[in-house]
Coordinates of all heavy atoms in Angstrom, one line a residue:
R755 N -6.4 -8.6 -27.6 CA -5.2 -9.4 -27.3 C -4.5 -8.9 -26.1 O -3.6 -9.5 -25.5 CB -4.3 -9.4 -28.4 CG -3.6 -8.2 -28.8 CD -2.9 -8.3 -30.1 NE -2.1 -7.2 -30.6 CZ -0.8 -7.0 -30.5 NH1 -0.1 -8.2 -30.1 NH2 -0.1 -6.1 -30.9
F756 N -4.9 -7.7 -25.5 CA -4.5 -7.4 -24.3 C -5.0 -8.0 -23.0 O -4.7 -7.9 -21.9 CB -4.6 -5.8 -24.0 CG -3.6 -5.0 -24.8 CD1 -3.8 -3.6 -24.8 CD2 -2.6 -5.5 -25.4 CE1 -2.9 -2.7 -25.5 CE2 -1.7 -4.6 -26.2 CZ -1.9 -3.2 -26.2
L757 N -6.2 -8.7 -23.3 CA -7.0 -9.1 -22.1 C -6.5 -10.4 -21.6 O -7.1 -11.5 -21.6 CB -8.4 -9.3 -22.5 CG -9.1 -7.8 -23.2 CD1 -10.5 -8.1 -23.4 CD2 -8.8 -6.8 -22.2
L758 N -5.4 -10.4 -21.1 CA -4.6 -11.5 -20.4 C -5.1 -11.5 -18.9 O -5.7 -10.6 -18.5 CB -3.1 -11.4 -20.6 CG -2.8 -11.2 -22.0 CD1 -1.2 -11.0 -22.0 CD2 -3.1 -12.4 -23.0
P759 N -4.6 -12.5 -18.1 CA -4.9 -12.5 -16.7 C -4.4 -11.1 -16.3 O -3.3 -10.8 -16.3 CB -4.0 -13.6 -16.2 CG -4.0 -14.6 -17.3 CD -3.9 -13.8 -18.5
C760 N -5.2 -10.4 -15.5 CA -4.9 -9.2 -14.8 C -4.8 -8.1 -15.9 O -4.5 -6.9 -15.5 CB -3.6 -9.2 -14.0 SG -3.6 -10.0 -12.5
L761 N -5.3 -8.3 -17.1 CA -5.2 -7.1 -18.1 C -6.7 -7.0 -18.5 O -7.2 -7.9 -19.2 CB -4.4 -7.4 -19.2 CG -4.4 -6.4 -20.3 CD1 -3.9 -5.0 -19.6 CD2 -3.4 -6.7 -21.4
V762 N -7.5 -6.0 -18.1 CA -8.9 -6.1 -18.2 C -9.4 -4.7 -18.6 O -8.8 -3.6 -18.3 CB -9.5 -6.4 -16.8 CG1 -9.2 -7.8 -16.4 CG2 -9.0 -5.5 -15.7
P763 N -10.5 -4.6 -19.3 CA -11.2 -3.3 -19.5 C -11.8 -2.8 -18.3 O -11.9 -3.6 -17.3 CB -12.3 -3.7 -20.6 CG -12.5 -5.1 -20.4 CD -11.3 -5.7 -19.9
V764 N -12.3 -1.6 -18.1 CA -12.7 -1.0 -17.0 C -13.8 -1.8 -16.3 O -13.7 -2.0 -15.1 CB -13.4 0.4 -17.3 CG1 -13.9 1.0 -16.1 CG2 -12.2 1.4 -17.9
L765 N -14.7 -2.3 -16.9 CA -15.8 -2.9 -16.3 C -15.5 -4.3 -15.6 O -16.2 -4.8 -14.8 CB -17.1 -3.2 -17.3 CG -17.5 -1.9 -17.9 CD1 -18.7 -2.1 -18.8 CD2 -18.1 -0.9 -16.7
L766 N -14.4 -4.9 -16.0 CA -14.0 -6.2 -15.4 C -12.8 -6.0 -14.4 O -12.2 -7.1 -14.0 CB -13.6 -7.1 -16.5 CG -14.6 -7.5 -17.6 CD1 -14.1 -8.4 -18.6 CD2 -16.0 -8.0 -16.9
L767 N -12.5 -4.9 -13.9 CA -11.3 -4.6 -13.2 C -11.3 -5.4 -11.9 O -10.2 -5.8 -11.5 CB -11.3 -3.1 -12.9 CG -10.1 -2.6 -12.1 CD1 -8.9 -2.7 -12.9 CD2 -10.3 -1.1 -11.6
G768 N -12.4 -5.7 -11.2 CA -12.4 -6.2 -9.9 C -11.9 -7.7 -9.9 O -11.7 -8.2 -8.9
A769 N -11.9 -8.3 -11.1 CA -11.5 -9.7 -11.2 C -10.0 -9.9 -11.1 O -9.6 -11.0 -10.9 CB -11.9 -10.3 -12.6
C770 N -9.2 -8.9 -11.0 CA -7.7 -9.0 -11.1 C -7.2 -8.9 -9.6 O -7.5 -8.1 -8.9 CB -7.1 -8.0 -11.9 SG -5.3 -8.1 -12.1
R771 N -6.1 -9.7 -9.3 CA -5.4 -9.7 -8.1 C -4.0 -9.8 -8.3 O -3.5 -10.6 -9.2 CB -6.0 -10.8 -7.1 CG -7.4 -10.7 -6.7 CD -7.5 -9.5 -5.8 NE -8.9 -9.3 -5.2 CZ -9.9 -8.7 -5.9 NH1 -9.7 -8.1 -7.0 NH2 -11.1 -8.6 -5.4
E772 N -3.1 -9.1 -7.5 CA -1.8 -9.3 -7.5 C -1.3 -10.8 -7.3 O -1.8 -11.3 -6.4 CB -1.1 -8.3 -6.6 CG 0.4 -8.2 -6.8 CD 1.0 -7.1 -6.0 OE1 0.4 -6.0 -6.0 OE2 2.1 -7.4 -5.4
Q773 N -0.3 -11.2 -8.1 CA 0.1 -12.5 -7.9 C 1.5 -12.6 -7.1 O 2.2 -11.5 -7.2 CB 0.4 -13.2 -9.3 CG -0.8 -13.2 -10.2 CD -0.6 -13.5 -11.5 OE1 0.6 -14.1 -11.9 NE2 -1.4 -13.4 -12.4
P774 N 1.8 -13.6 -6.5 CA 3.1 -13.6 -5.7 C 4.3 -13.7 -6.6 O 4.2 -14.2 -7.8 CB 3.0 -14.9 -4.9 CG 2.0 -15.7 -5.6 CD 1.0 -14.9 -6.3
E775 N 5.5 -13.0 -6.1 CA 6.6 -13.0 -6.9 C 7.4 -14.2 -6.8 O 7.5 -14.9 -5.7 CB 7.5 -11.8 -6.6 CG 6.9 -10.5 -6.9 CD 7.8 -9.4 -6.6 OE1 8.8 -9.2 -7.4 OE2 7.7 -8.7 -5.7
A776 N 8.1 -14.7 -7.9 CA 8.8 -16.0 -7.9 C 10.2 -15.6 -7.4 O 10.7 -14.4 -7.5 CB 8.8 -16.7 -9.2
Q777 N 11.0 -16.7 -7.1 CA 12.5 -16.5 -6.8 C 13.2 -16.0 -8.0 O 12.7 -16.4 -9.2 CB 13.0 -17.8 -6.3 CG 12.6 -18.2 -5.0 CD 12.9 -17.2 -3.8 OE1 14.1 -16.7 -3.8 NE2 12.0 -16.9 -3.0
T778 N 14.1 -15.1 -7.9 CA 14.8 -14.6 -9.1 C 16.3 -14.6 -8.9 O 16.8 -14.6 -7.8 CB 14.3 -13.0 -9.2 OG1 15.1 -12.5 -10.4 CG2 14.6 -12.3 -8.0
T779 N 17.0 -14.7 -10.1 CA 18.3 -14.6 -10.1 C 18.9 -13.2 -10.6 O 20.1 -13.0 -10.8 CB 19.0 -15.6 -11.2 OG1 18.4 -15.4 -12.5 CG2 18.6 -17.1 -10.7
F780 N 18.1 -12.2 -10.8 CA 18.5 -11.0 -11.1 C 19.2 -10.3 -10.0 O 18.9 -10.4 -8.9 CB 17.1 -10.1 -11.5 CG 16.5 -10.5 -12.7 CD1 15.4 -11.4 -12.6 CD2 16.9 -10.0 -14.0 CE1 14.8 -11.8 -13.8 CE2 16.2 -10.4 -15.0 CZ 15.3 -11.3 -15.0
P781 N 20.1 -9.4 -10.3 CA 20.9 -8.7 -9.1 C 20.1 -7.7 -8.3 O 19.1 -7.0 -9.0 CB 22.1 -8.0 -9.9 CG 21.5 -7.8 -11.2 CD 20.6 -9.0 -11.5

């Protein structure tokens, strides 16, 4: 259940890429 987008076991690591950040209302 950890294997979400960008959450991968060792052998599938290369499939993940950083996603752009959205606009935020946090200070």
